[in-house]
Each structure stands twice: as C-alpha cells, then as structure tokens.
Amino acid sequence: MPHATASWLVENTALTFQQIADFCGLHILEVQAIADDTAGTRLTGRDPVRAHELTMDEIERGQANPDYRLRIQKGPEQVRRTKGPRYTPVSKRQDKPDGIAWIIRNHPEVSDGAISKLIGTTRTTIAAIRDRTHWNIANITPKDPVTLGLCSQRELDAIVAKAAKAAGIEAPTDQRLAGDREALIEQLRAERERAAREAEAAARGELDTADRPAFEDPFRR
C-alpha cells in the first residue's frame, strides 16, 4: 500500500518528497499530489512504524539528512507450521476414522506414527480404532483413504512400501486395475493389428489397380 504509506509519512514526518517517493516506490509527483491533496481519492494513512517497516530512529535519520535514503526494516518472522499432523478440511474430518480403519485392516505393518502423518490425526485415535475402543466404533466402516480424499495414492503407496521394507516383507502391488490393464493392452494390440491389415489391404488394392489394364468400352467402335 505505497500511496497510503506515503500519505502517513507526508502528514507525520518532515521527510522530503524524494525520500518518501524512494521509500514507497512512487514518483515524486505522486507524493506531491498527496501532499497537495490533489490525488484522485482521499487516502487513509498507513503507519509503516506499526507495520514494522520503519523505526522512528530511521525516520529521524532521514529528517536530519535530506540525502539519506530510508531503509525498510525486516518485519517479524511469520510463524510457519513445520510439524504435526497435516491439515484436513472440515468436510472430510468425519471420514478419517474410516480411512484409518482401512489402513489398519489392509496394512497392519504401517505404524501409528506413519498413519498419523498420512491422515492427519492423533495416535490416541488410531490406537482406539485399532483396539476397537473408539467411541464410534460401531459406525466406522473401513474405506480407502485415497477414495475419501484424505491422501494421494502415491503417498499411501510410499508409506506402505516403507513399512513393508522395515518389516522385511514384500510390498504389496495394487491389483485392482490388473484386469482392466490387460484388457486395454489386448484392445490396443487388436487395433494395431487391424490397422496393419487395413494398410496392407489398401496397398494391395493400389497395386491391383495399377496392374489392371485400362477399361475399354465394348460399345465403342
């Protein structure tokens, strides 16, 4: 909000228009217009000190030296979430127990910690579902977490493969689409063979046409 910041600096400091323009990234004429109140709209000033962009000491240095260029201050570090379970939309949170139950039933080798990170839940909840002591266990139906939208197939395959490797067992392969894949391959092979036959037939037809003598009209004398 450079114009609002410039408006505040014009009204509350003795900085030159050039200093304000340089700091706000504006043309000096824009700052002049703000100072003369000839700008198109009346701006509400924005305090750069409160926004942690300037300090009063920096402003005082600029006021004492018209050639001094104000330096923007580094704002406070934003708090970034780096640990803990992933965020799940509210609309999908009710599906978490079903997804957890599915992993426990189909991949018991996956640890509670891995499930917690994948689904975004607590180990207490996972343990309760595993021990069937969950308060809503009667209504929990195991469902694929990928189908529920709680994780991607790649993420699920990754933790299953890692758990299988740690347990010294062979990682399971997804056979759900095996039949469809084979049928698709057969269909593509049949289409390719049919196209080859049609191309050969077309080539033979062109050759036959080239070798056949020209048509003679029997009624022509």
Side-chain angles (χ1 to χ4, degrees), residues 77-103:
E77 288 291 334
Q78 297 294 325
V79 177
R80 293 182 176 86
R81 179 173 179 161
T82 57
K83 295 184 179 180
R86 68 165 62 194
Y87 173 78
T88 304
V90 176
S91 60
K92 295 184 181 297
R93 291 179 188 177
Q94 61 185 1
D95 297 329
K96 286 185 179 183
D98 294 343
I100 296 169
W102 187 92
I103 297 176

Side-chain angles (χ1 to χ4, degrees), residues 5 12 18 36 45 48 57 61 66 79 116 119-120 124-125 138 140 161 163-164 173 177 179-180 191 203-206:
T5 301
N12 296 276
Q18 188 63 58
D36 294 341
D57 290 340
R61 292 192 192 98
V79 177
S116 175
I119 303 297
T124 302
T125 300
I140 295 177
T173 55
L177 301 178
D180 293 342
E191 292 178 356
R204 285 197 301 270
E206 292 176 359

Side-chain angles (χ1 to χ4, degrees), residues 207-218 220:
L207 291 175
D208 293 344
T209 301
D211 295 338
R212 189 181 303 121
F215 175 74
E216 295 183 1
D217 189 348
R220 183 177 180 183

Side-chain angles (χ1 to χ4, degrees), residues 23 102 146:
F23 177 78
W102 187 92
V146 176

Side-chain angles (χ1 to χ4, degrees), residues 130-185:
R130 190 186 295 276
D131 300 336
R132 300 192 63 80
T133 57
H134 191 275
W135 67 272
N136 196 34
I137 193 65
N139 297 318
I140 295 177
T141 304
K143 295 180 182 178
D144 189 339
V146 176
T147 304
L148 294 174
L150 298 173
C151 65
S152 67
Q153 186 65 53
R154 179 177 297 180
E155 291 172 329
L156 177 61
D157 291 343
I159 70 162
V160 170
K162 183 176 180 180
K165 182 178 180 180
I169 60 178
E170 183 179 356
T173 55
D174 190 356
Q175 299 294 336
R176 291 176 296 178
L177 301 178
D180 293 342
R181 188 180 298 110
E182 293 175 359
L184 178 59
I185 293 174

Side-chain angles (χ1 to χ4, degrees), residues 25-39:
L26 301 175
H27 193 278
I28 189 172
L29 295 180
E30 293 180 274
V31 180
Q32 180 70 54
I34 293 172
D36 294 341
D37 198 22
T38 57

